[in-house]
Amino acid sequence: MCHQKFELVVDDLAFIGHPVCADSDGTWRFKPERANMAPRGRGSKKGQSPEEEEKSLTPEKSGETKQPQQEKSWLQTFHCVFVLDLPDPSSSQSGNISRYFDIIYEQMAFAITAVLYQEQILHNFVENECDLLGTMENDHIEKAKPFSDFMSQALKASSVASAMKTVYEAIKENSIARLSISDFPLELQLPPYLDTLLHNDDMSALDPPEEDDFEFGGGQAWGPEMSFGWRLPSLTPWKALLRLDDSGEQGYELYMKLRGPQLASQDREIAEQLFKFLDLASITLSLADMSSLLDWDLESQVYPTVRWLVHHRRAKVVDVVHPGLRTVFSVPPTLPAPVATLAAEFAKIFTHAALPPFPKLLSLITTATYEQTANHFYASVVRSKELIPLYQDVVIWMLKRDLLETLHLRIRVVATPDLKEFVRSKRSVRKSRTASATREEEKGGQPIHRTDKVKEHSPSTVGGTESSPVEYWVSMSPKSARRQTRQLSISPRKLERSVSYSRKSEKDSGSGREKTDEDGDEDEDDVTSDGDGQSSVDWDDPRASIINDPGRATPIQRQWLAAMSEGKHEYIRRRFEQ
């Protein structure tokens, strides 16, 4: 059973761990990579690959590849076991209990075992700890001392004992376990909303909010380690970063404190530049602006740094707050603590006479939410430019405690039937001129060089509602509108014809035949990809349609967007494109 995942359920208790052992000759060595083997236990379910079960404890990333010279030891195996109360299956979502155990195994049991296994191989550490605790225990038994005395001395003398206590308390308190095993620093944690996965009435820990689904990227931008039980907002360019630590740590100090085996090499390189990044981070500055000011790449530098800080609970992603606090806030439906507790904390921190009591502040924010005009924070609460710096601290304090929600204005870009007809007519004029030029070249005997693939132009309507197209689209939620866009973007008949014409074009090109507009071709952007791997033929749909992701618009959608800016002021056009 050694060197693989261990999971055992006895009555109402679950035992989770990763037992390890010495080689047959009694020597502890790093195990070489093993070939795929059929896993045993729950991991052998259909559809689960062996790679998910067989994990290597060899510290490849730390460079510890040289096998130490070591004598045989009496310790042949050890097992760090986590014992949990078995959740009531009737109160949990199907499959969530298994995922719950998997996360505890991956984030806690396996990580701790990996460090203990490494230190045992390198320094015979686990055996020495066992000798220490065993001798201490026998001494207390012989002298009839109480067990509490043994526990107290063990925590002072053994790093394994203190590490076990730290991990236990961190799990109970839902905090980060910062510990040291044989002078090896570790920082471990479980997802902050992991326990909510065990309740039927709380699905928000499983699925991202609908508004995040409207924004591209969604929870996928956080990576697999932070996609389950974290409840993170979308990691997008227009979000901002809020620092959560109040200790004033500099970037290098924070990096040295948090560095450990769980960091990838590229994360280490980025973390070394934290000083500049943290010095610039502000709730009034978007991640895109930070990328520009730091001259960092958004995807490969800014996002990994944000993920690293959020994972270590040193920062959180929030909506950008207007520098003048002209942002519309609302109060969440449920507060994280009783109002009396929050009011006492607020009064202790903020003593300025101009600030209202905490309950009054909540009342002002809630009332302003329902105002048609002057509903932002400055107009409803601040009302004086001199108080903006003071209230900025108040907003930061409230955002750290999840006491504010930013209201969003969702803008949907709609290509109307008139706009589509305008673009279609321009394309027809352009194609007509191209066809005339081609005929002139043919008459003059000039060679024709064409590389356009043949696409079919078959104007037709796609089935849908008979009501007003614009009203129909705008009345939808962002999620349903995008789903409807995918459903209406193409019919099987058109897809079949476009594929067959594409193949015919490649065949004709191979035989040396030159195609012209008279053969019925359209521009190459007539049939494009909509991001889901499907073809889109919106160009011949006479109804209004939403450009659901203008930042990644298809070629024909870019023509529609360009047509919307015709005749507009240059500044307005640039702002719209941005």
Side-chain angles (χ1 to χ4, degrees):
M1 293 297 295
C2 284
H3 301 292
Q4 61 179 308
K5 181 181 179 180
F6 176 91
E7 183 178 309
L8 177 67
V9 176
V10 179
D11 295 332
D12 294 328
L13 294 178
F15 301 81
I16 299 174
H18 189 101
V20 294
C21 59
D23 287 349
S24 56
D25 61 357
T27 304
W28 288 87
R29 298 186 182 91
F30 290 120
K31 294 294 180 182
E33 291 291 339
R34 296 197 296 177
N36 292 342
M37 298 174 59
R40 292 177 286 180
R42 182 167 59 80
S44 59
K45 290 181 179 179
K46 181 179 180 181
Q48 188 168 359
S49 63
E51 291 81 0
E52 294 175 324
E53 286 294 305
E54 298 295 337
K55 287 193 173 185
S56 172
L57 290 168
T58 304
E60 296 176 351
K61 294 181 180 179
S62 63
E64 300 283 357
T65 57
K66 184 179 179 180
Q67 294 286 354
Q69 297 295 327
Q70 190 182 85
E71 298 180 358
K72 294 182 180 180
S73 64
W74 65 261
L75 182 67
Q76 294 300 300
T77 182
F78 68 85
H79 190 186
C80 180
V81 186
F82 284 71
V83 188
L84 306 114
D85 292 317
L86 187 65
D88 182 4
S90 64
S91 66
S92 303
Q93 292 288 335
S94 176
N96 282 8
I97 294 180
S98 299
R99 185 68 179 124
Y100 179 84
F101 289 158
D102 288 342
I103 291 178
I104 294 176
Y105 167 74
E106 294 168 0
Q107 303 296 330
M108 290 290 184
F110 183 84
I112 292 178
T113 302
V115 176
L116 292 174
Y117 182 72
Q118 171 182 289
E119 295 305 300
Q120 170 61 20
I121 294 174
L122 298 177
H123 311 294
N124 203 32
F125 170 75
V126 178
E127 180 176 300
N128 294 334
E129 288 286 301
C130 291
D131 288 336
L132 172 66
L133 292 173
T135 302
M136 190 180 299
E137 181 187 26
N138 293 333
D139 180 64
H140 278 71
I141 292 175
E142 291 176 359
K143 297 179 180 179
K145 293 183 178 180
F147 184 72
S148 58
D149 287 354
F150 165 71
M151 289 287 290
S152 177
Q153 289 193 23
L155 291 173
K156 294 177 182 178
S158 170
S159 65
V160 167
S162 60
M164 291 169 67
K165 180 182 179 182
T166 301
V167 170
Y168 173 82
E169 292 178 343
I171 293 177
K172 297 291 288 185
E173 298 171 1
N174 193 17
S175 61
I176 296 180
R178 296 182 176 91
L179 52 110
S180 177
I181 297 178
S182 183
D183 297 327
F184 190 93
L186 262 182
E187 183 169 298
L188 303 173
Q189 64 173 315
L190 295 176
Y193 296 97
L194 180 62
D195 288 343
T196 60
L197 302 178
L198 301 176
H199 304 289
N200 283 326
D201 57 350
D202 193 344
M203 289 298 295
S204 57
L206 267 178
D207 301 321
E210 182 175 312
E211 70 162 330
D212 292 340
D213 190 58
F214 179 70
E215 300 174 346
F216 67 81
Q220 299 177 356
W222 291 101
E225 288 187 358
M226 303 176 68
S227 62
F228 202 77
W230 278 84
R231 287 189 185 176
L232 296 170
S234 296
L235 185 56
T236 49
W238 50 85
K239 296 287 186 178
L241 191 69
L242 171 64
R243 289 192 61 177
L244 298 179
D245 53 297
D246 299 317
S247 59
E249 293 173 317
Q250 300 298 321
Y252 181 74
E253 296 172 350
L254 179 61
Y255 167 66
M256 294 302 296
K257 180 182 291 187
L258 301 183
R259 67 179 301 182
Q262 66 271 26
L263 293 180
S265 58
Q266 66 176 22
D267 291 330
R268 292 175 184 269
E269 296 173 3
I270 295 174
E272 291 174 351
Q273 305 179 46
L274 274 176
F275 177 78
K276 186 188 300 184
F277 185 87
L278 293 175
D279 187 56
L280 185 63
S282 169
I283 59 173
T284 62
L285 199 64
S286 71
L287 298 180
D289 292 335
M290 291 187 66
S291 173
S292 176
L293 292 173
L294 292 170
D295 195 23
W296 283 17
D297 180 74
L298 188 68
E299 297 282 348
S300 64
Q301 291 180 286
V302 174
Y303 283 175
T305 306
V306 171
R307 282 192 290 265
W308 190 79
L309 289 168
V310 172
H311 182 263
H312 290 281
R313 306 193 193 187
R314 299 305 177 109
K316 65 188 298 185
V317 173
V318 297
D319 293 288
V320 175
V321 177
H322 189 275
L325 299 180
R326 299 180 185 274
T327 301
V328 182
F329 293 116
S330 67
V331 178
T334 58
L335 299 179
V339 175
T341 303
L342 295 171
E345 184 181 354
F346 181 86
K348 184 179 180 180
I349 298 176
F350 300 101
T351 58
H352 197 283
L355 292 177
F358 182 73
K360 177 65 174 178
L361 179 63
L362 294 181
S363 176
L364 292 173
I365 297 172
T366 304
T367 304
T369 304
Y370 299 96
E371 298 290 340
Q372 295 296 322
T373 58
N375 57 356
H376 50 76
F377 192 81
Y378 177 84
S380 58
V381 180
V382 185
R383 299 174 182 173
S384 173
K385 292 183 178 180
E386 290 74 16
L387 295 177
I388 289 180
L390 176 62
Y391 273 102
Q392 285 178 337
D393 294 336
V394 172
V395 168
I396 291 175
W397 181 85
M398 297 183 73
L399 287 174
K400 287 182 178 180
R401 289 154 182 81
D402 296 322
L403 298 175
L404 290 178
E405 292 182 350
T406 305
L407 298 187
H408 301 92
L409 176 65
R410 300 294 184 190
I411 299 176
R412 304 176 193 170
V413 182
V414 180
T416 63
D418 291 342
L419 179 74
K420 288 185 175 183
E421 181 59 32
F422 173 71
V423 172
R424 189 181 295 112
S425 62
K426 289 185 61 176
R427 288 156 57 90
S428 299
V429 171
R430 185 179 72 247
K431 290 170 63 62
S432 175
R433 292 173 179 173
T434 303
S436 298
T438 301
R439 286 192 290 269
E440 290 298 327
E441 288 179 351
E442 290 175 344
K443 292 179 180 179
Q446 298 296 326
I448 306 170
H449 300 284
R450 295 293 304 278
T451 59
D452 292 345
K453 293 183 178 179
V454 177
K455 310 291 180 182
E456 181 178 11
H457 178 30
S458 176
S460 62
T461 60
V462 180
T465 180
E466 297 297 330
S467 61
S468 169
V470 175
E471 293 178 1
Y472 168 69
W473 281 99
V474 174
S475 65
M476 286 184 171
S477 70
K479 192 172 184 179
S480 60
R482 188 172 61 260
R483 182 168 56 248
Q484 191 73 4
T485 300
R486 290 195 292 265
Q487 293 173 352
L488 299 181
S489 63
I490 187 167
S491 65
R493 176 176 55 86
K494 291 182 180 179
L495 178 58
E496 181 180 357
R497 283 210 300 266
S498 65
V499 172
S500 65
Y501 266 73
S502 178
R503 290 175 178 170
K504 180 179 178 182
S505 171
E506 294 171 1
K507 180 178 179 181
D508 292 341
S509 176
S511 62
R513 180 185 172 187
E514 300 292 343
K515 304 296 290 183
T516 68
D517 291 297
E518 294 177 339
D519 291 319
D521 80 320
E522 276 289 324
D523 290 346
E524 187 174 352
D525 56 15
D526 285 348
V527 180
T528 59
S529 174
D530 65 359
D532 294 330
Q534 297 177 343
S535 295
S536 175
V537 287
D538 281 340
W539 55 267
D540 71 344
D541 185 357
R543 301 174 306 125
S545 57
I546 280 184
I547 303 177
N548 62 332
D549 193 350
R552 302 179 180 181
T554 62
I556 186 61
Q557 289 174 343
R558 288 197 293 270
Q559 293 187 35
W560 293 339
L561 292 170
M564 293 177 190
S565 298
E566 289 194 12
K568 301 294 191 299
H569 190 276
E570 179 65 19
Y571 172 77
I572 299 297
R573 185 190 65 78
R574 287 200 308 268
R575 289 287 296 173
F576 180 67
E577 289 180 354
Q578 185 181 21

